[in-house]
Amino acid sequence: MIAVDKRYDIIPNDFNFAGRASSDIKRTLKSMHFSREFIKRVSVAAYEAEINIVIHSRGGKAAFKICEDALYLEFVDIGPGIPDIQLALTPGYSTASEESRLNGFGAGMGFSNILKSVDKMDILSDPNGTVLKLKFNITEADRDENR
Amino acid sequence: MTLGQIIEKYKCNVYSRTPFNTGKEIRYAFCSDLMSDALMIMSTVRESGILEDSVLITGLATNQSIRTAEMLDVQIVCLVRGKIPAQQVIDLADESGITLIGTELTMFNLSGRLYQEGIVGIASKK
Ligand SMILES: Nc1ncnc2c1ncn2[C@@H]1O[C@H](COP(=O)(O)OP(=O)(O)O)[C@@H](O)[C@H]1O
Ligand SMILES: [Mg+2]
């Protein structure tokens, strides 16, 4: 059974709008009474991925699904892609612009943060765009809002 | 130290309009202008209750400071060196239930004073 199926637009270079999708994901999970720990894990990964589309791409979309014992986030953008994924995953590596840094992003730790939070991550990228898929396994403890 | 004591002692302006508990105990803090750093360090905290009793100290008076606090379950954001948030930042704080305050003190001076009062800095756990 699919319990949640939501989609969001992510606008490039808009630092006011940025974070809207992650905020809605967080609120949805809260209303479903997941544990704080689980919600934080998903929110932080979602926010890093959303910000990456804002600061590194020409815009894109996010999809948020909960299906049985797994939560899926999928971020799709319309380019310019990640030329060297291995390099992009290296902690500290960043091509963020000066403007992004002035807005508090671009320490090159986004992917490290995402990897710490997820159970599985897949990246597909070419100059036409990037797809980032994140999977979070849902355990019994994650469903307990008192944790 | 309570939120009320912090506001009084460091002559903080309270920008958000959502009611807050002046007796709320603040036990931990983290300061940075880089939200990436706040996310990286603060998201390593596993014990419950720590982030909820923390203040995020920053010179970044933008929506992203509020968003970062929101993602981490941090309830208080304190702007330093007299930064005045735009109306939309205040609105976002209200919408997210974040208490947004600000002081004239610099980041170093505010942090040093809070440290002297026994507020503990959040550090990364490997
Ligand atoms: N959606 C994307 N499109 C193009 N490049 C990206 C995208 N996401 C990440 N990257 C590349 O990967 C690098 C590392 O990303 P990340 O670890 O989040 O660090 P940061 O965003 O702070 O630069 C970025 O600097 C950028 O070069
Ligand atoms: Mg990033």
Side-chain angles (χ1 to χ4, degrees):
Chain A
M1 199 194 74
I2 295 178
V4 174
D5 190 349
K6 291 187 143 196
R7 269 142 232 271
Y8 309 92
D9 285 322
I10 303 174
I11 303 169
N13 258 308
D14 185 333
F15 289 96
N16 296 326
F17 196 76
R20 279 273 190 107
S22 309
S23 177
D24 188 79
I25 291 168
K26 172 153 190 169
R27 286 170 204 196
T28 305
L29 293 174
K30 243 182 178 159
S31 74
M32 295 175 77
H33 309 294
F34 283 99
S35 74
R36 279 194 231 193
E37 173 71 49
F38 182 74
I39 297 174
K40 203 193 317 136
R41 215 150 62 80
V42 176
S43 310
V44 167
Y47 189 46
E48 289 283 8
E50 182 179 358
I51 292 287
N52 275 357
I53 293 190
V54 174
I55 68 179
H56 300 299
S57 89
R58 302 188 193 109
K61 286 180 187 298
F64 163 34
K65 287 181 191 148
I66 297 180
C67 186
E68 300 287 339
D69 290 334
L71 184 157
Y72 300 91
L73 298 178
E74 188 174 291
F75 294 84
V76 183
D77 68 53
I78 55 169
I82 304 175
D84 184 339
I85 293 175
Q86 235 18 67
L87 185 61
L89 294 180
T90 311
Y93 176 81
S94 177
T95 60
S97 67
E98 188 55 31
E99 195 203 353
S100 308
R101 280 178 220 274
L102 286 175
N103 276 283
F105 290 93
M109 297 308 293
F111 278 127
S112 311
N113 244 344
I114 293 172
L115 279 167
K116 265 193 302 186
S117 308
V118 301
D119 289 298
K120 198 168 189 315
M121 175 176 100
D122 268 331
I123 308 176
L124 255 178
S125 187
D126 71 16
N128 292 323
T130 300
V131 182
L132 173 72
K133 289 186 184 191
L134 309 179
K135 183 184 183 196
F136 303 81
N137 298 328
I138 303 171
T139 66
E140 247 347 277
D142 298 328
R143 293 188 193 275
D144 178 5
E145 66 177 317
N146 299 316
R147 284 175 64 121
Chain B
M1 220 180 173
T2 66
L3 178 54
Q5 286 170 326
I6 290 177
I7 291 170
E8 199 188 303
K9 235 176 150 167
Y10 311 119
K11 300 188 179 64
C12 295
N13 284 314
V14 179
Y15 295 109
S16 50
R17 289 148 303 191
T18 312
F20 59 93
N21 173 12
T22 48
K24 183 184 170 54
E25 199 62 41
I26 306 296
R27 298 186 296 142
Y28 301 91
F30 184 80
C31 63
S32 183
D33 285 348
L34 253 187
M35 293 303 117
S36 301
D37 278 359
L39 286 167
M40 185 180 65
I41 303 295
M42 297 183 94
S43 69
T44 62
V45 174
R46 291 287 172 251
E47 300 84 346
S48 72
I50 293 186
L51 293 175
E52 292 79 358
D53 289 352
S54 297
V55 54
L56 174 61
I57 300 165
T58 183
L60 191 72
T62 68
N63 281 358
Q64 298 317 312
S65 303
I66 307 297
R67 291 290 190 207
T68 299
E70 182 190 0
M71 295 309 147
L72 291 165
D73 285 326
V74 170
Q75 291 158 12
I76 299 144
V77 173
C78 183
L79 302 175
V80 290
R81 59 191 140 84
K83 288 283 169 76
I84 296 164
Q87 190 56 46
Q88 50 151 336
V89 178
I90 297 172
D91 292 342
L92 187 64
D94 282 331
E95 189 197 313
S96 321
I98 304 264
T99 302
L100 179 62
I101 61 177
T103 173
E104 291 292 329
L105 291 175
T106 60
M107 189 182 272
F108 182 83
N109 286 338
L110 175 66
S111 301
R113 288 181 201 194
L114 293 177
Y115 192 88
Q116 263 180 339
E117 294 285 344
I119 292 184
V120 178
I122 290 178
S124 128
K125 300 222 174 59
K126 286 276 144 69

mmCIF file of all heavy atoms in Angstrom, chain A residues 48-49 51-52 55-56 105-111, chain B residues 36, ligand 2:
data_model
loop_
_atom_site.group_PDB
_atom_site.id
_atom_site.type_symbol
_atom_site.label_atom_id
_atom_site.label_comp_id
_atom_site.label_asym_id
_atom_site.label_seq_id
_atom_site.Cartn_x
_atom_site.Cartn_y
_atom_site.Cartn_z
ATOM 1 N N GLU A 48 19.344 18.771 2.186
ATOM 2 C CA GLU A 48 20.617 18.825 1.451
ATOM 3 C C GLU A 48 20.382 18.585 -0.045
ATOM 4 O O GLU A 48 20.962 19.266 -0.888
ATOM 5 C CB GLU A 48 21.601 17.772 1.983
ATOM 6 C CG GLU A 48 22.164 18.083 3.366
ATOM 7 C CD GLU A 48 23.257 19.153 3.359
ATOM 8 O OE1 GLU A 48 23.494 19.788 2.313
ATOM 9 O OE2 GLU A 48 23.869 19.358 4.431
ATOM 10 N N ALA A 49 19.526 17.610 -0.364
ATOM 11 C CA ALA A 49 19.268 17.285 -1.772
ATOM 12 C C ALA A 49 18.492 18.414 -2.448
ATOM 13 O O ALA A 49 18.768 18.777 -3.596
ATOM 14 C CB ALA A 49 18.495 15.974 -1.860
ATOM 15 N N ILE A 51 18.512 21.624 -1.556
ATOM 16 C CA ILE A 51 19.433 22.757 -1.720
ATOM 17 C C ILE A 51 20.373 22.511 -2.908
ATOM 18 O O ILE A 51 20.680 23.426 -3.664
ATOM 19 C CB ILE A 51 20.246 22.994 -0.421
ATOM 20 C CG1 ILE A 51 19.323 23.488 0.714
ATOM 21 C CG2 ILE A 51 21.397 23.973 -0.658
ATOM 22 C CD1 ILE A 51 18.846 24.917 0.575
ATOM 23 N N ASN A 52 20.804 21.281 -3.101
ATOM 24 C CA ASN A 52 21.684 21.000 -4.237
ATOM 25 C C ASN A 52 21.010 21.350 -5.557
ATOM 26 O O ASN A 52 21.648 21.897 -6.456
ATOM 27 C CB ASN A 52 22.109 19.523 -4.246
ATOM 28 C CG ASN A 52 23.326 19.298 -3.362
ATOM 29 O OD1 ASN A 52 23.880 20.242 -2.796
ATOM 30 N ND2 ASN A 52 23.733 18.039 -3.238
ATOM 31 N N ILE A 55 21.024 25.220 -5.780
ATOM 32 C CA ILE A 55 22.297 25.922 -6.017
ATOM 33 C C ILE A 55 23.120 25.362 -7.182
ATOM 34 O O ILE A 55 23.973 26.061 -7.703
ATOM 35 C CB ILE A 55 23.175 26.026 -4.739
ATOM 36 C CG1 ILE A 55 23.721 24.666 -4.285
ATOM 37 C CG2 ILE A 55 22.408 26.677 -3.598
ATOM 38 C CD1 ILE A 55 24.611 24.771 -3.040
ATOM 39 N N HIS A 56 22.880 24.108 -7.573
ATOM 40 C CA HIS A 56 23.744 23.529 -8.616
ATOM 41 C C HIS A 56 23.020 23.233 -9.926
ATOM 42 O O HIS A 56 23.664 22.828 -10.887
ATOM 43 C CB HIS A 56 24.367 22.213 -8.133
ATOM 44 C CG HIS A 56 25.212 22.339 -6.898
ATOM 45 N ND1 HIS A 56 26.339 23.123 -6.853
ATOM 46 C CD2 HIS A 56 25.092 21.783 -5.662
ATOM 47 C CE1 HIS A 56 26.872 23.031 -5.644
ATOM 48 N NE2 HIS A 56 26.132 22.228 -4.897
ATOM 49 N N PHE A 105 25.530 27.915 2.195
ATOM 50 C CA PHE A 105 25.729 26.569 1.642
ATOM 51 C C PHE A 105 26.983 26.492 0.803
ATOM 52 O O PHE A 105 27.504 27.500 0.367
ATOM 53 C CB PHE A 105 24.504 26.149 0.830
ATOM 54 C CG PHE A 105 23.347 25.901 1.734
ATOM 55 C CD1 PHE A 105 22.445 26.905 2.023
ATOM 56 C CD2 PHE A 105 23.231 24.693 2.394
ATOM 57 C CE1 PHE A 105 21.409 26.703 2.930
ATOM 58 C CE2 PHE A 105 22.213 24.487 3.292
ATOM 59 C CZ PHE A 105 21.297 25.489 3.563
ATOM 60 N N GLY A 106 27.462 25.252 0.598
ATOM 61 C CA GLY A 106 28.626 25.072 -0.236
ATOM 62 C C GLY A 106 29.865 24.681 0.532
ATOM 63 O O GLY A 106 30.969 25.074 0.191
ATOM 64 N N ALA A 107 29.681 23.888 1.594
ATOM 65 C CA ALA A 107 30.830 23.380 2.345
ATOM 66 C C ALA A 107 31.292 22.041 1.771
ATOM 67 O O ALA A 107 32.269 21.464 2.226
ATOM 68 C CB ALA A 107 30.469 23.227 3.814
ATOM 69 N N GLY A 108 30.579 21.552 0.770
ATOM 70 C CA GLY A 108 30.959 20.283 0.157
ATOM 71 C C GLY A 108 30.646 19.079 1.031
ATOM 72 O O GLY A 108 31.208 17.997 0.852
ATOM 73 N N MET A 109 29.738 19.241 1.976
ATOM 74 C CA MET A 109 29.421 18.141 2.891
ATOM 75 C C MET A 109 28.007 17.592 2.674
ATOM 76 O O MET A 109 27.560 16.734 3.426
ATOM 77 C CB MET A 109 29.566 18.604 4.348
ATOM 78 C CG MET A 109 30.971 19.008 4.740
ATOM 79 S SD MET A 109 32.232 17.778 4.353
ATOM 80 C CE MET A 109 31.749 16.490 5.497
ATOM 81 N N GLY A 110 27.319 18.093 1.652
ATOM 82 C CA GLY A 110 25.933 17.682 1.425
ATOM 83 C C GLY A 110 25.787 16.182 1.210
ATOM 84 O O GLY A 110 24.993 15.519 1.901
ATOM 85 N N PHE A 111 26.581 15.637 0.289
ATOM 86 C CA PHE A 111 26.469 14.206 0.007
ATOM 87 C C PHE A 111 26.891 13.364 1.219
ATOM 88 O O PHE A 111 26.296 12.320 1.480
ATOM 89 C CB PHE A 111 27.280 13.828 -1.238
ATOM 90 C CG PHE A 111 26.546 14.112 -2.529
ATOM 91 C CD1 PHE A 111 27.128 14.861 -3.541
ATOM 92 C CD2 PHE A 111 25.266 13.612 -2.738
ATOM 93 C CE1 PHE A 111 26.444 15.121 -4.724
ATOM 94 C CE2 PHE A 111 24.572 13.862 -3.919
ATOM 95 C CZ PHE A 111 25.169 14.627 -4.918
ATOM 96 N N SER B 36 25.444 24.545 6.103
ATOM 97 C CA SER B 36 25.959 23.194 5.844
ATOM 98 C C SER B 36 26.639 22.639 7.092
ATOM 99 O O SER B 36 26.487 21.471 7.430
ATOM 100 C CB SER B 36 26.999 23.206 4.725
ATOM 101 O OG SER B 36 26.467 23.706 3.545
HETATM 102 MG MG MG C 2 25.041 20.450 -1.229
#
